[in-house]
Amino acid sequence: MYDIVIVGGGIVGLSTGMALLEMFPKYKVTVIEKEKEVAMHQSGHNSGVIHSGIYYKPGSLKARLAKKGNCEIISFCEKHDIPYERCGKLIIATKKQELPLLSALYKRGLENGIDLHRMGLNQFKEIEPFAEGLEAIHVPSTGIVNFKQVAKAFARIIKEHGGEIMLSTEVIAVNNMHDGVELKTSEGIIKAKLVINCGGLHCDQIAQKAKISTNVKIVPFRGEYYQLKVEKRYLCKHLIYPVPNPNFPFLGVHFTRMIDGRIMIGPNAVLGLKREGYKKTDIHLRDITETLMFPGFWRVAGANWQEGLKEVVRSLSKKVLVKELQRFIPDVKKEDIMPAKAGVRAQALNRNGKLIDDFHMIHNQRMVNVLNAPSPAATASIEIGRYIAIEVSKVFKPIDIL
């Protein structure tokens, strides 16, 4: 029997395993992952941004862990020779009605302890010569990295500390026992004194298998990306973001320079018809049914249908998307961009239709369930892993494990 089994080999599950083995080196820990590699889904299909923490509600877990996590990820990359860059980003207001929102965001960033600079057009054009707009916030601490490389480094450290990584191992059933938890998997029975559910897109289903009532449903949103053609990459040197709508959970279409030199455009956010559906044609009947049968989905859809419709239109019309991009870089033309791979975000909703914004986890005697770890989870992954390890130490007595 294992002391701790972590379900999910994404960046959060791996960081949790790493933190537990650093804190409790005598524990017998394994991470099980249904795919043949780690970081195959959200951790490997993101924009690679090391976030600053400017967006998040002061005092929230997101705000606290993102700011710390930004520094931790940078230090980790330097220690383990993982390429990264602190390139900074601009959040640009292109309309007068966005200026109060930009001011509010600037205030929030200062409250979160972020180094920020408010800039006029002439100032931010020194950073991004082809950008246009009224005013901007410059966030120097924002960076870029390949988070899949980071996740693989976490996995390597787990093994070096005596932990295990079990790939191609899918959880089929979860049975609570008097002395722990029994996981029926595609590779046989695994027993543990404690299970930590970091299942990402499937975390609610894993909790359901354990007969745990969470009041949470994961709804997948597909984020579609384009990229600038190689000869047009000079148009964007860093990261360019719009002023976010405070009533909508997504940041809007933006320009992101990747660590490999590509300039990504996106993502939009359209309802996914499959939890791991990276193509428009990917459909899974059970996933659709679960979403449509959940009362919270219809409540949030009713409250956000106008913004949601805009996202769908941008998904269907390249012309509309380019018009949106030209608000920030007028020289971008329709022929300058080409499709890139999409990602899928696990958005947690409760039955009342509230989008769960902050990191969220619940636990019972033998199972910790991480039910919401959206962006900036990759940025904050080291701190999230430590946070979970500390919570485990508070809730579960040493005698329960050893």
Side-chain angles (χ1 to χ4, degrees):
M1 179 181 284
Y2 290 96
D3 293 313
I4 301 177
V5 170
I6 299 165
V7 179
I11 199 166
V12 171
L14 294 167
S15 66
T16 300
M18 183 174 69
L20 284 166
L21 286 164
E22 289 175 351
M23 193 175 294
F24 309 110
K26 293 183 179 180
Y27 284 8
K28 188 178 180 183
V29 177
T30 188
V31 178
I32 63 174
E33 166 57 47
K34 70 182 179 67
E35 304 294 354
K36 62 183 179 180
E37 295 180 26
V38 298
M40 287 287 284
H41 293 293
Q42 293 184 98
S43 304
H45 290 79
N46 57 56
S47 59
V49 176
I50 303 173
H51 290 284
S52 65
I54 183 176
Y55 298 109
Y56 316 120
K57 183 179 178 180
S60 66
L61 271 179
K62 272 189 176 183
R64 287 157 41 203
L65 300 186
K67 187 174 185 296
K68 291 180 181 177
N70 177 290
C71 298
E72 290 288 346
I73 282 289
I74 296 297
S75 297
F76 184 88
C77 290
E78 290 176 345
K79 182 177 180 180
H80 296 278
D81 297 320
I82 298 173
Y84 79 93
E85 184 180 344
R86 252 192 177 137
C87 56
K89 79 174 175 185
L90 289 173
I91 303 169
I92 302 178
T94 61
K95 303 174 182 177
K96 286 185 177 180
Q97 56 265 41
E98 292 176 336
L99 292 176
L101 296 176
L102 191 74
S103 296
L105 185 61
Y106 182 76
K107 180 182 177 182
R108 171 169 284 194
L110 293 178
E111 289 176 359
N112 285 335
I114 311 300
D115 178 30
L116 305 172
H117 307 282
R118 190 81 179 258
M119 294 182 170
L121 176 62
N122 292 336
Q123 288 175 293
F124 72 70
K125 283 183 79 71
E126 293 179 8
I127 299 171
E128 287 289 355
F130 294 92
E132 294 291 341
L134 301 176
E135 292 185 30
I137 298 172
H138 180 224
V139 192
S141 60
T142 302
I144 51 176
V145 72
N146 183 334
F147 279 114
K148 194 165 189 175
Q149 284 185 286
V150 175
K152 287 184 175 181
F154 290 173
R156 185 177 66 251
I157 291 169
I158 288 172
K159 293 176 183 178
E160 289 172 353
H161 283 72
E164 298 179 19
I165 308 286
M166 299 174 64
L167 301 173
S168 302
T169 305
E170 183 173 1
V171 174
I172 298 168
V174 181
N175 299 311
N176 291 303
M177 305 182 299
H178 72 279
D179 59 346
V181 181
E182 181 184 82
L183 300 174
K184 181 181 178 183
T185 77
S186 56
E187 296 299 308
I189 300 295
I190 298 173
K191 295 182 179 180
K193 295 174 183 175
L194 171 67
V195 171
I196 301 177
N197 169 15
C198 295
L201 285 157
H202 300 278
C203 63
D204 59 331
Q205 294 176 333
I206 293 168
Q208 188 177 26
K209 291 178 193 292
K211 298 180 175 59
I212 295 173
S213 178
T214 65
N215 196 36
V216 169
K217 176 64 64 181
I218 295 298
V219 176
F221 282 86
R222 190 178 69 255
E224 299 166 334
Y225 288 90
Y226 280 81
Q227 62 178 307
L228 282 176
K229 292 181 178 179
V230 175
E231 61 271 22
K232 293 293 182 175
R233 288 179 181 174
Y234 68 88
L235 290 173
C236 178
K237 298 182 179 298
H238 304 91
L239 305 161
I240 300 175
Y241 278 58
V243 179
N245 180 343
N247 298 316
F248 196 61
F250 305 103
L251 293 177
V253 175
H254 45 270
F255 295 81
T256 305
R257 181 161 63 83
M258 307 290 279
I259 198 67
D260 61 7
R262 289 176 297 153
I263 306 295
M264 305 301 289
I265 295 166
N268 60 0
V270 294
L271 180 65
L273 303 181
K274 183 180 179 182
R275 294 204 183 204
E276 293 164 2
Y278 299 103
K279 299 177 183 177
K280 292 180 181 180
T281 53
D282 285 340
I283 297 174
H284 191 281
L285 185 58
R286 179 186 169 185
D287 290 345
I288 299 171
T289 302
E290 284 189 357
T291 296
L292 297 182
M293 292 290 288
F294 190 65
F297 169 73
W298 293 106
R299 292 187 176 102
V300 77
N304 295 279
W305 70 268
Q306 290 176 311
E307 290 295 330
L309 181 61
K310 292 177 185 177
E311 298 286 336
V312 171
V313 170
R314 280 197 291 265
S315 173
L316 297 174
S317 173
K318 187 176 179 181
K319 181 180 178 180
V320 172
L321 172 64
V322 170
K323 187 176 180 180
E324 179 72 11
L325 298 174
Q326 288 173 338
R327 289 175 50 206
F328 307 95
I329 302 181
D331 288 348
V332 173
K333 303 294 188 295
K334 186 177 178 181
E335 59 270 21
D336 296 336
I337 66 174
M338 57 185 182
K341 291 182 179 179
V344 178
R345 167 176 170 162
Q347 177 60 57
L349 305 180
N350 67 21
R351 296 185 69 85
N352 296 324
K354 181 181 178 182
L355 295 162
I356 299 175
D357 182 57
D358 208 357
F359 300 136
H360 178 62
M361 70 180 191
I362 64 171
H363 60 78
N364 63 11
Q365 187 178 2
R366 294 293 180 188
M367 193 167 181
V368 176
N369 295 275
V370 181
L371 296 172
N372 196 48
S375 179
T379 298
S381 56
I382 294 175
E383 287 297 317
I384 292 173
R386 288 174 180 164
Y387 178 86
I388 294 172
I390 291 169
E391 290 301 301
V392 165
S393 72
K394 291 178 182 177
V395 176
F396 300 94
K397 307 292 184 183
I399 195 172
D400 293 333
I401 299 293
L402 298 177

